[in-house]
Amino acid sequence: MRIARFSTGEGVSFGVVEGGPGEEVVSAVAGHPFNQVQFTGERFPLAQVKLLSPMLPSKVIAIGRNYAEHAAELGNEVPDEPLIFLKPSTSVIGHGEPIAYPTSLSDRVDYEGELAVVIGRLCREVPVERVKDVIFGYTCANDVTARDLQKKDVQFTRAKGFDTFCPLGPWIQTDLDPSDLALTTTVNGEVRQSGRTNQLINDIPALVAYVSAVMTLIPGDVILTGTPAGVGPLEVGDEVSVGIEGIGTLTNKVVSRD
């Protein structure tokens, strides 16, 4: 099931996206989809609504260097344990919303296409064998990074935390085996990243168990699972897309913030 958060101009709702490419319809649901889905009877052509970020997470937990080739391309060793950092909720935007390049503060802003896990239940210290019980679904993510500031600051807060630096979408796929999915990032239609989730050093059960041993996870929280090799710079005017097999494609345009 594909769960979208959308606006019709008269308010924000959740809905189930049905139909094939070019013929998608959004069927609105009452309340929040974490509970049992109840349809309101309202249906809208997807082309006539505005897709928003699928969730408004209390926090976005990201995993660094979780693909060996990506760690190597930036001259880093693979960490012994998952490397976790936070992106603020204010960095989250949805499909079609612009990424604002802070041109007065950074000379190098990179794309990082990733599979994102959406948590569906309040949880803490989740054992690996119970991780499936706390996952609501999966979506596409772009862990946009000011690479020069990341190198300058050593820690990641400023480089990863700018407003608009966490596109999510276009929706959440709730019925999916995430263990071996193709992930492709394109810039202006040119393939820049091509990987598979079976290349993750730490798989999704291990990541959720590890993160939940550190902090309580709240429904709607998002875990970014890491990016494959091929990261590179964005320029103002670029259009960047992250596509994941079985989910869809998240597309955003880059604009100047200044």
Side-chain angles (χ1 to χ4, degrees):
M1 186 162 54
R2 293 176 290 177
I3 301 291
R5 181 169 160 268
F6 68 97
S7 171
T8 61
E10 298 181 356
V12 175
S13 303
F14 285 98
V16 175
V17 180
E18 302 169 298
E23 299 180 350
E24 297 100 332
V25 173
V26 184
S27 298
V29 301
H32 204 286
F34 288 143
N35 302 314
Q36 185 175 0
V37 171
Q38 294 183 329
F39 293 99
T40 66
E42 293 183 292
R43 290 165 58 87
F44 306 93
L46 182 64
Q48 295 181 16
V49 304
K50 175 179 173 58
L51 289 175
L52 307 173
S53 62
M55 289 291 163
L56 293 176
S58 76
K59 53 189 174 291
V60 177
I61 306 100
I63 309 297
R65 305 171 193 169
N66 201 28
Y67 286 79
E69 291 185 2
H70 169 60
E73 74 179 345
L74 296 182
N76 296 312
E77 298 291 332
V78 173
D80 294 332
E81 297 179 293
L83 173 62
I84 63 176
F85 58 93
L86 296 174
K87 292 174 79 81
S89 59
T90 48
S91 67
V92 172
I93 57 173
H95 172 77
E97 295 185 81
I99 297 167
Y101 193 130
T103 52
S104 64
L105 296 174
S106 174
D107 295 323
R108 169 75 183 259
V109 169
D110 284 10
Y111 54 83
E112 293 190 10
E114 310 200 9
L115 174 67
V117 180
V118 181
I119 298 298
R121 291 174 54 183
L122 182 72
C123 60
R124 182 169 63 91
E125 297 179 348
V126 183
V128 168
E129 61 272 16
R130 296 290 304 277
V131 164
K132 286 185 178 179
D133 297 339
V134 306
I135 292 176
F136 180 66
Y138 304 90
T139 192
C140 306
N142 191 344
D143 177 20
V144 182
T145 303
R147 191 71 66 199
D148 53 346
L149 301 183
Q150 184 182 22
K151 292 179 179 179
K152 179 180 179 180
D153 294 352
V154 182
Q155 53 82 30
F156 299 169
T157 303
R158 182 165 64 139
K160 303 278 192 175
F162 284 96
D163 290 355
T164 76
F165 270 27
C166 189
L168 298 173
W171 41 63
I172 298 168
Q173 176 57 259
T174 61
D175 304 313
L176 188 69
D177 178 357
S179 60
D180 185 18
L181 303 175
L183 186 159
T184 304
T185 304
T186 65
V187 178
N188 302 325
E190 178 184 342
V191 174
R192 300 289 180 85
Q193 289 182 289
S194 181
R196 300 195 70 89
T197 56
N198 66 1
Q199 299 168 327
L200 289 168
I201 296 167
N202 301 284
D203 64 13
I204 288 167
L207 292 177
V208 175
Y210 186 87
V211 171
S212 69
V214 177
M215 64 190 76
T216 298
L217 298 174
I218 296 171
D221 281 352
V222 171
I223 299 176
L224 308 187
T225 59
T227 193
V231 300
L234 292 167
E235 303 293 340
V236 173
D238 283 346
E239 183 176 81
V240 56
S241 296
V242 178
I244 300 179
E245 180 182 5
I247 300 177
T249 302
L250 166 70
T251 298
N252 303 87
K253 195 133 185 180
V254 182
V255 302
S256 175
R257 193 185 77 167
D258 304 308

